[in-house]
Amino acid sequence: MSSCTSSLAKDVGELKAMMKAQNKRIDTLIKHIKEGCEAKEEAPPESTMSNMNPYIECLNPDILYHLALSTDTTDFPKMFGDVRFVCMGGTAARMLKFANFIMKEIGLKMNSGVKLKDLAEDANRYALYKVGPVLCASHGIGGPSISILLHELIKIMHHAKCQNPVFFRMGTSGGINIEPGSVVITSEALDGQLRPVHEVVVHTVPELRPAKLDRELAQELKSLSDPCHDGYDTIIGKTLCANDFYEGQSRLDGAFCSYTPEKKKAFLEQVAGQGVLNMEMESTAFAAITNQAGIRSAVVCVTILDRLESDQITTPLEILKEWDSRPQTLIARYMQKVLFDIGDEDCSGSESCDCAGGDQAQPAQEVQPAQQAQPLEQNQSIEQTEPGDE
Ligand code: R2B
Ligand code: URA
């Protein structure tokens, strides 16, 4: 396809999506007119979170300490009631980058002189950005850190009466016997003892909570990958979640090491033989906690090295940055599909896909569906900036 044809196709796609979105809006307005402006608004239903702590209802206010939010100072339904996607990643910088990226991908705009505001900045722990229906949060490193954040995010969902939000963890990982730069969608998260659980010690007793992720969601994400055009593979497989980056992941480059290089190799080969594609540090807590709340969730991580080849990460920063955006791109495609009901061309394994035609392959963004243009609403992470502040 020439670049002119592809650009025209993109414009047509955008116009179609915009018309569809506008038709939807007109239908809603007509419905409102028919029902009459005086018609009483239905009270929003309770949130769809399950197994919530019954004692929360006794808290007045409920203080979400690590996010510096409280039910007495924030109107949760108004502020967060429209959230449909919650995206989590390790660092504040990654999540700010993602928030700005997803804003464009879902057709939202900010005025110049305005920047995204960290809604949790007063707590100085996690970063929290809201862009339309997308809430973006940084979770830090490891199970305990993501666990605290998940408790508080799920309480936000509960207080805000959110309906069926989908949660994503996007991040980096160490691959085992796969090409660095590949993206892994986790089918099953295993702990350091290769158990599909997240262990929570309550009153000295270990409780094993099933670390279950949504298989359908994983498949749906995979169907939105396009290895021919993306230029990298997106694979579904098991993820080993360790409590440490060094000995917990059988590295030879930590401050301490209690095993030999041969033992390390045997371990990595053993877990690879059991279907483990990558290692990271949050997936069991993320999977178990979202599962407990009845939330559909997925873990999407790029692999930044092959652990059978090395322990140290020697890839140049520029390349790492590009790799970092790969899980984000896939998740953005999913959101576009859900929000605009488009972008559903499953290219994975398709025979018509011209993998060989190097210079014909268009970057995935070129064939991305169109977006609905909308102003950014009031309840978003927006902040005025001083001139020259950006
Ligand atoms: C991946 O990378 C981090 C460690 O460097 C950790 O948060 C993880 O899961
Ligand atoms: N994150 C991890 O936890 N391990 C790696 O090897 C790379 C990123």
Side-chain angles (χ1 to χ4, degrees):
M1 207 193 298
S2 74
S3 66
C4 171
T5 321
S6 112
S7 143
L8 277 175
K10 187 176 169 231
D11 286 350
V12 169
E14 279 183 8
L15 276 172
K16 271 189 187 167
M18 231 182 273
M19 280 171 64
K20 195 169 172 185
Q22 287 186 350
N23 284 342
K24 252 191 196 171
R25 185 149 171 69
I26 290 169
D27 286 349
T28 314
L29 287 173
I30 291 173
K31 193 168 157 246
H32 282 172
I33 291 167
K34 274 189 188 155
E35 283 168 358
C37 299
E38 299 303 310
K40 254 198 183 165
E41 284 215 0
E42 272 174 39
E46 291 307 309
S47 89
T48 52
M49 302 299 106
S50 38
N51 299 314
M52 290 302 293
N53 166 12
Y55 305 114
I56 291 177
E57 305 315 323
C58 312
L59 300 171
N60 196 11
D62 183 8
I63 297 166
L64 311 185
Y65 170 65
H66 302 87
L67 298 175
L69 293 172
S70 166
T71 49
D72 65 351
T73 50
T74 298
D75 181 341
F76 280 73
K78 192 168 170 201
M79 183 77 180
F80 297 106
D82 61 341
V83 170
R84 296 181 61 184
F85 309 101
V86 177
C87 297
M88 307 168 70
T91 67
R94 181 186 303 150
M95 297 323 291
L96 177 58
K97 187 173 160 233
F98 177 71
N100 280 301
F101 164 70
I102 204 67
M103 189 191 322
K104 293 196 193 90
E105 294 297 295
I106 61 173
L108 296 178
K109 280 197 181 87
M110 268 190 322
N111 292 334
S112 58
V114 166
K115 66 176 185 180
L116 287 173
K117 179 178 162 57
D118 175 358
L119 302 172
E121 72 178 336
D122 290 344
N124 244 319
R125 288 283 182 188
Y126 305 99
L128 188 67
Y129 300 101
K130 183 170 183 297
V131 176
V134 188
L135 195 59
C136 310
S138 65
H139 59 59
I141 291 187
S145 183
I146 198 171
S147 163
I148 293 168
L149 176 66
L150 279 164
H151 273 272
E152 296 186 10
L153 287 176
I154 290 169
K155 290 209 291 177
I156 291 183
M157 300 295 104
H158 171 72
H159 290 308
K161 304 182 191 297
C162 292
Q163 302 297 302
N164 304 306
V166 181
F167 277 44
F168 296 99
R169 157 162 151 72
M170 51 178 83
T172 56
S173 63
I176 310 176
N177 207 19
I178 54 177
E179 182 71 20
S182 305
V183 171
V184 175
I185 304 168
T186 304
S187 56
E188 191 170 40
L190 305 176
D191 75 355
Q193 298 178 53
L194 303 182
R195 304 172 299 179
V197 297
H198 169 53
E199 182 179 295
V200 182
V201 179
V202 179
H203 304 157
T204 76
V205 182
E207 291 185 11
L208 302 181
R209 313 250 167 100
K212 273 198 196 143
L213 293 158
D214 191 301
R215 284 185 181 249
E216 230 173 72
L217 180 59
Q219 287 296 344
E220 219 174 319
L221 285 163
K222 163 102 172 103
S223 78
L224 297 172
S225 73
D226 189 349
C228 313
H229 297 144
D230 292 341
Y232 53 86
D233 284 330
T234 297
I235 325 161
I236 297 186
K238 293 181 191 170
T239 295
L240 195 161
C241 178
N243 280 334
D244 171 44
F245 185 78
Y246 290 101
E247 289 174 281
Q249 294 185 27
S250 195
R251 279 187 151 80
L252 298 169
D253 62 342
F256 314 104
C257 187
S258 58
Y259 39 80
T260 61
E262 292 71 35
K263 281 259 168 28
K264 168 198 158 180
K265 186 166 178 283
F267 170 72
L268 292 180
E269 285 172 353
Q270 179 214 329
V271 295
Q274 293 179 29
V276 173
L277 296 181
N278 64 342
M279 287 195 253
E280 46 78 91
M281 299 179 62
E282 293 83 19
S283 56
T284 48
F286 175 82
I289 295 172
T290 50
N291 177 58
Q292 194 168 1
I295 294 169
R296 296 178 74 212
S297 68
V299 177
V300 184
C301 287
V302 69
T303 60
I304 57 174
L305 78 169
D306 179 357
R307 289 297 318 289
L308 284 174
E309 299 296 329
S310 66
D311 293 331
Q312 299 243 305
I313 294 140
T314 53
T315 309
L317 268 180
E318 277 314 301
I319 296 182
L320 286 177
K321 268 193 199 160
E322 194 272 306
W323 287 357
D324 218 37
S325 67
R326 292 179 176 184
Q328 305 186 3
T329 301
L330 191 65
I331 289 167
R333 287 179 196 163
Y334 175 80
M335 289 182 191
Q336 288 178 330
K337 184 180 164 212
V338 172
L339 293 174
F340 308 132
D341 198 14
I342 43 181
D344 196 15
E345 285 141 35
D346 182 349
C347 186
S348 48
S350 148
E351 285 179 5
S352 61
C353 193
D354 178 17
C355 293
D359 55 353
Q360 283 184 11
Q362 300 295 320
Q365 292 300 97
E366 293 276 317
V367 290
Q368 289 261 319
Q371 298 144 10
Q372 176 187 11
Q374 273 178 1
L376 202 60
E377 292 156 14
Q378 286 307 303
N379 62 341
Q380 319 302 325
S381 284
I382 47 176
E383 181 171 69
Q384 298 293 332
T385 54
E386 297 299 325
D389 209 15
E390 285 164 294

